[in-house]
Amino acid sequence: MNEYRRHRQNRKPVEIGERQVRELRKTDLNRQMLALDECNGFRIRPGFYNMNGATMLADGVNFTAYSKGATSITLLLYNRGEATPFAHIPFPESYRIGNVYSMIVFGLDIENIEYCYSVDGPWDPEKGLLFNKDHLLLDPYAKAVSGQRIWGQSPNKDGAYRARIVRNNFEWNDTNSLCTPMNDTVIYEMHVRGFTMDPSSGVKCRGTFEGIKEKAEYLRKLGISAVELMPIFEFDETRDKRIVNGKTLLDYWGYNTISFFAPNTSYASESEYNKEGVELKRMIKALKDNGIEVILDVVFNHTAEGNENGPFISFKGFDNNIYYLLTPYGQYYNFSGCGNTMNCNHPMVQELIVECLRYWAIEYRVDGFRFDLASILGRDQDGSPMERPPLIQRLAYDPILGNVKLIAEAWDAGGMYQVGNFPAWKRWAEWNGKYRDDIRSYLKGDIWAAPEAVKRITGSMDMYGGSYLGYDSSVNFITCHDGFTLYDLYSYNGKHNEDNGWNNTDGANDNRSWNCGAEGETTDKNILDLRFKMMRNAITVLMCSRGTPMIYAGDEFGNTQFGNNNAYCQDNEISWLNWDLLKKNKNYFDFYRNMIQFRRKHPAIRKDLLPSHCGYPHISIHTENPDNGNITKDSRVICVRYAGFIEKKNHDDIVYVAINAYWEDIQIMLPNPPEGAYWSLCVDTGDESGKHFYNRPKPLTWRNRTLKARSVNVFIVSFGAEYGV
């Protein structure tokens, strides 16, 4: 005994890593787990009922599924790529607790295993019950979907989707959420494939997560702080595959989810059997290392199963009458415009959505979510709007999601428009669709839109008080994936979606665009100069507006979709970014990047600072006469002044934005600068010499100025060279 004590006392502490701790825990757990039964040649035992989906253990796999209406569930196992299962393992009745079935199957080689389920139960369509044991169903909690690896290739020939078992052992080390405040955020919306698919991108792995990783340095230098990825959950792009005008059209955007927990494997540059998602994680880590957050565009309002004529993929066969909003006769409500609507406020569906978002936040370190057609998340089980939707409230207060950004597209296809009226619980931000509409109207010359435009520029506080976060609630944008690019906004009076195959009937008709004198491409220098001036106006106003700016990928160098404002099906040069334009339009790109940097340098634009020492309010509104703050429908000029004290720099930050949306020059007067200071010109989008941005602000010796037709000027107050700019 004494020898043992001396041995223990002389032992040195051993440091082990996180991975070793996990392995030790698995080993200890495995020693406690012994097979209790045998079924069809497989050793099994009851599983972990609170561990949804398929989870790899030390010597087995835990399979958990649930269904309220099912009478039995059978696990089907396949060898990789095979159409016929090599095993059917029904869950024993004793392995069911409540509505949850859980089973550990020992001795599986997960490198070669795929699986799905057969769910038996009553068939009564009028009651919404669609159980059929012959339907092969994808696990709703599948972490990876097989048969989707090659873009454009149809999935398994039998039409069924199968899942794979994933190793979640990626080492993040000290990588964590950046927690960039909304007022410091600039969002860059992009499509994973379209961002680098064109050969002009110059990346090695075009159209993939790796391709974005290769462009991380470009994104950092552009100055954005977050990328918002269009859907990356697994979807089947071959859905509704067709040929129009010689082009193969696919479900390119991906707003028809197959599996909420699985990354789109065709966005990976190489096969990732059992480690699906590793390339995506490497991309996210690389972006974070460059100070860039990752926001996912998520689609919980509907699934790819469609209406009564749609396929049986997963939810229809597990609990159709729970997962979807159904009429009293068992038909599908279609508030999404895509055939079905998820029953988001049912407790079971809430659990799935919350667990899904937690999974992406934990395993992928995602920094935020933008919810497509988010108003559907607030509909009751009969489709009616709810005053206090439990799902939206639950997400607002969820502890795991406490630091992630929650952004709502606050409308749906059923006519519910909630911009400025979304149940936000001082937690949710919104895509501000009114900002887009009002700014587009005013900048193209609709002078009568001035009163609304000035509200949007100054943070839309007419909308975002009460349950909102004020300025941080407004995600301002002029363009996004759904509509014209910025170049097309000033190149086309109307949409040109003929290549979509619907006789140009699809896509929005209310574009508030202007072609500047010629429809589409032109060689007229005057028209081209005007278009780029209008584009400079747009990005200047966006970057000088209160709220969080969002820009659309490619707008920074004048990318075009050739007038297509609904390119959801165009996997070709219509949607792919043409990186040759970066060189062609370098001057415009430099201006665009400078405006992002200008916003960063002047916090008075972004938020209320300490009160200015000179006595200016945080925000003031003016016409061409600084003493007149009354913006009417006849106002041709909008001027906004931002002011506040920067404690670290020990001086005021004062910015004056003057916008002339009229087609003639207008004389303006600047306010009196503080004593001992003077105005300096930073931006002049209408400078005919081509000098549109002054890295060294140009001092002014007078207050009167000619504001050129259809142009924007931005001024700052300079206090002396010792303060810098």
Side-chain angles (χ1 to χ4, degrees):
M1 178 65 70
N2 291 335
E3 183 65 26
Y4 172 75
R5 287 174 179 168
R6 282 197 297 272
H7 172 71
R8 295 288 294 176
Q9 290 170 354
N10 292 332
R11 287 185 63 186
K12 295 180 180 180
V14 178
E15 295 184 1
I16 60 176
E18 182 181 346
R19 180 183 295 178
Q20 292 169 295
V21 170
R22 288 201 300 264
E23 292 302 321
L24 285 171
R25 287 173 178 170
K26 289 179 181 178
T27 302
D28 290 342
L29 185 61
N30 188 43
R31 287 172 181 163
Q32 300 171 23
M33 291 192 305
L34 300 174
L36 301 181
D37 298 295
E38 184 174 317
C39 181
N40 294 339
F42 289 89
R43 294 177 297 120
I44 62 174
R45 65 166 291 142
F48 297 95
Y49 291 83
N50 59 351
M51 193 181 290
N52 289 313
T55 306
M56 186 182 71
L57 304 176
D59 191 35
V61 179
N62 185 86
F63 295 94
T64 300
Y66 60 77
S67 173
K68 185 176 187 301
T71 55
S72 66
I73 297 180
T74 300
L75 172 68
L76 279 65
L77 299 177
Y78 297 76
N79 286 314
R80 184 196 301 173
E82 296 294 325
T84 303
F86 68 82
H88 293 71
I89 309 177
F91 286 83
E93 183 61 30
S94 60
Y95 287 24
R96 173 179 180 175
I97 297 179
N99 300 320
V100 180
Y101 301 72
S102 190
M103 170 174 60
I104 297 172
V105 182
F106 294 93
L108 296 181
D109 176 13
I110 72 163
E111 303 293 337
N112 292 300
I113 292 294
E114 297 173 358
Y115 75 97
C116 66
Y117 291 111
S118 167
V119 182
D120 201 5
W123 178 271
D124 190 344
E126 288 194 2
K127 294 182 179 180
L129 303 174
L130 302 179
F131 294 99
N132 185 332
K133 64 181 180 180
D134 294 328
H135 288 150
L136 305 178
L137 302 178
L138 180 67
D139 182 357
Y141 288 84
K143 305 303 188 298
V145 181
S146 65
Q148 296 287 111
R149 170 70 192 92
I150 301 175
W151 177 269
Q153 180 175 295
S154 298
N156 301 317
K157 293 181 180 179
D158 59 10
Y161 294 95
R162 296 193 284 273
R164 293 184 56 76
I165 301 147
V166 173
R167 300 178 189 271
N168 277 320
N169 57 1
F170 185 82
E171 294 292 348
W172 288 98
N173 298 321
D174 59 352
T175 302
N176 212 328
S177 176
L178 297 174
C179 296
T180 305
M182 287 296 284
N183 57 64
D184 290 336
T185 297
V186 177
I187 300 172
Y188 186 87
E189 189 197 25
M190 68 160 72
H191 187 280
V192 171
R193 182 172 170 85
F195 186 59
T196 61
M197 190 59 202
D198 193 88
S200 63
S201 68
V203 302
K204 180 180 177 182
C205 301
R206 292 160 42 206
T208 65
F209 297 128
E210 184 66 23
I212 294 176
K213 181 183 173 186
E214 292 181 62
K215 289 286 189 182
E217 179 70 6
Y218 166 84
L219 294 170
R220 183 187 67 80
K221 289 182 177 179
L222 178 61
I224 57 99
S225 65
V227 295
E228 182 174 301
L229 304 179
M230 291 171 65
I232 63 164
F233 293 177
E234 193 66 84
F235 62 90
D236 178 13
E237 68 279 359
T238 65
R239 178 181 182 266
D240 298 329
K241 184 176 181 179
R242 54 203 169 92
I243 297 178
V244 175
N245 296 336
K247 290 184 173 71
T248 299
L249 304 187
L250 302 171
D251 184 13
Y252 170 74
W253 280 354
Y255 286 92
N256 276 293
T257 307
I258 287 173
S259 179
F260 294 113
F261 291 79
N264 189 332
T265 51
S266 64
Y267 283 168
S269 63
E270 56 186 25
S271 297
E272 298 183 314
Y273 291 116
N274 306 113
K275 52 181 182 177
E276 281 86 352
V278 170
E279 186 172 309
L280 171 59
K281 292 174 181 177
R282 287 200 301 260
M283 181 208 79
I284 292 173
K285 189 176 190 308
L287 290 173
K288 287 177 179 287
D289 289 344
N290 280 276
I292 299 171
E293 295 184 318
V294 176
I295 300 170
L296 300 186
D297 190 341
V298 294
V299 187
F300 292 112
N301 56 78
H302 74 284
T303 76
E305 291 188 300
N307 59 17
E308 293 81 5
N309 300 317
F312 282 75
I313 296 174
S314 179
F315 299 106
K316 281 184 178 179
F318 272 94
D319 269 316
N320 179 67
N321 64 332
I322 287 177
Y323 285 107
Y324 296 113
L325 295 181
L326 303 178
T327 71
Y329 301 101
Q331 296 175 317
Y332 296 91
Y333 283 117
N334 186 19
F335 300 115
S336 67
C338 297
N340 63 54
T341 306
M342 286 204 78
N343 187 10
C344 295
N345 286 295
H346 188 285
M348 280 177 59
V349 186
Q350 283 187 57
E351 287 295 328
L352 177 118
I353 293 174
V354 171
E355 185 167 341
C356 173
L357 297 175
R358 286 178 169 182
Y359 176 76
W360 287 97
I362 294 169
E363 294 296 339
Y364 288 84
R365 299 294 200 271
V366 167
D367 301 283
F369 302 96
R370 177 266 187 188
F371 294 78
D372 181 66
L373 301 183
S375 290
I376 284 176
L377 275 60
R379 288 188 181 271
D380 205 346
Q381 296 184 44
D382 61 359
S384 59
M386 305 176 74
E387 185 176 347
R388 298 176 64 84
L391 173 62
I392 296 174
Q393 182 179 26
R394 184 172 176 183
L395 296 179
Y397 292 106
D398 185 84
I400 294 291
L401 305 178
N403 288 330
V404 305
K405 294 175 171 63
L406 301 177
I407 303 172
E409 183 185 39
W411 56 83
D412 64 24
M416 188 153 64
Y417 188 82
Q418 294 181 299
V419 173
N421 193 36
F422 191 78
W425 276 281
K426 292 189 180 295
R427 179 72 173 84
W428 288 74
E430 292 177 3
W431 268 25
N432 190 344
K434 291 184 179 180
Y435 182 96
R436 173 199 58 201
D437 295 344
D438 293 338
I439 298 301
R440 281 188 178 190
S441 292
Y442 179 70
L443 289 182
K444 81 181 184 71
D446 294 348
I447 304 303
W448 52 88
E452 292 301 308
V454 76
K455 294 176 185 177
R456 306 302 148 239
I457 293 169
T458 55
S460 296
M461 288 307 293
D462 58 320
M463 297 159 52
Y464 293 123
S467 66
Y468 285 98
L469 289 166
Y471 305 118
D472 287 346
S473 293
S474 182
V475 175
N476 300 330
F477 66 103
I478 297 174
T479 58
C480 64
H481 72 273
D482 196 1
F484 282 141
T485 67
L486 190 58
Y487 181 86
D488 290 356
L489 187 66
Y490 299 113
S491 299
Y492 296 91
N493 282 347
K495 63 187 181 183
H496 291 270
N497 301 347
E498 292 83 4
D499 283 340
N500 292 357
W502 309 114
N503 296 317
N504 207 33
T505 59
D506 63 306
N509 294 314
D510 181 17
N511 295 292
R512 308 186 191 206
S513 60
W514 178 46
N515 65 19
C516 296
E519 189 73 358
E521 293 304 310
T522 180
T523 58
D524 189 309
K525 184 179 183 304
N526 291 330
I527 292 176
L528 291 173
D529 287 347
L530 178 56
R531 287 177 178 176
F532 277 94
K533 180 166 69 168
M534 298 295 289
M535 292 161 62
R536 288 191 296 271
N537 292 345
I539 188 59
T540 301
V541 170
L542 181 61
M543 289 301 153
C544 292
S545 295
R546 277 287 173 97
T548 302
M550 184 184 77
I551 58 182
Y552 184 43
D555 278 354
E556 70 270 24
F557 50 75
N559 193 63
T560 178
Q561 291 178 177
F562 310 100
N564 193 317
N565 75 348
N566 188 35
Y568 75 100
C569 55
Q570 299 293 340
D571 179 35
N572 49 56
E573 70 280 355
I574 291 177
S575 293
W576 300 345
L577 299 196
N578 179 3
W579 290 84
D580 289 337
L581 295 171
L582 178 59
K583 181 178 180 180
K584 179 182 177 181
N585 299 326
K586 185 179 184 304
N587 289 339
Y588 173 70
F589 170 77
D590 289 342
F591 178 86
Y592 200 105
R593 182 174 59 179
N594 283 332
M595 284 310 307
I596 296 175
Q597 295 300 327
F598 181 83
R599 178 182 178 85
R600 177 175 293 179
K601 289 179 180 178
H602 294 281
I605 298 173
R606 308 194 307 270
K607 58 188 175 182
D608 285 349
L609 303 174
L610 294 173
S612 64
H613 282 195
C614 67
Y616 289 165
H618 288 122
I619 301 176
S620 59
I621 299 168
H622 313 268
T623 64
E624 58 268 35
N625 179 354
D627 296 326
N628 181 3
N630 184 26
I631 302 295
T632 69
K633 292 185 177 182
D634 296 322
S635 298
R636 299 176 181 180
V637 170
I638 290 175
C639 296
V640 177
R641 183 180 60 197
Y642 300 102
F645 182 73
I646 304 177
E647 194 169 16
K648 288 183 178 180
K649 294 186 177 182
N650 196 33
H651 70 81
D652 286 343
D653 181 28
I654 303 171
V655 179
Y656 197 79
V657 184
I659 309 164
N660 178 13
Y662 196 55
W663 43 91
E664 294 179 359
D665 297 354
I666 295 179
Q667 294 296 313
I668 68 169
M669 179 179 288
L670 299 176
N672 281 317
E675 185 176 353
Y678 56 90
W679 288 107
S680 294
L681 177 66
C682 295
V683 179
D684 182 356
T685 66
D687 189 328
E688 296 175 357
S689 71
K691 185 71 173 179
H692 302 120
F693 188 92
Y694 295 87
N695 288 306
R696 292 179 177 273
K698 180 179 178 182
L700 302 179
T701 57
W702 57 89
R703 293 170 56 204
N704 292 327
R705 181 169 179 81
T706 300
L707 190 55
K708 294 289 187 179
R710 301 188 186 278
S711 68
V712 180
N713 283 186
V714 182
F715 311 88
I716 64 170
V717 167
S718 296
F719 294 90
E722 69 272 17
Y723 291 111
V725 294

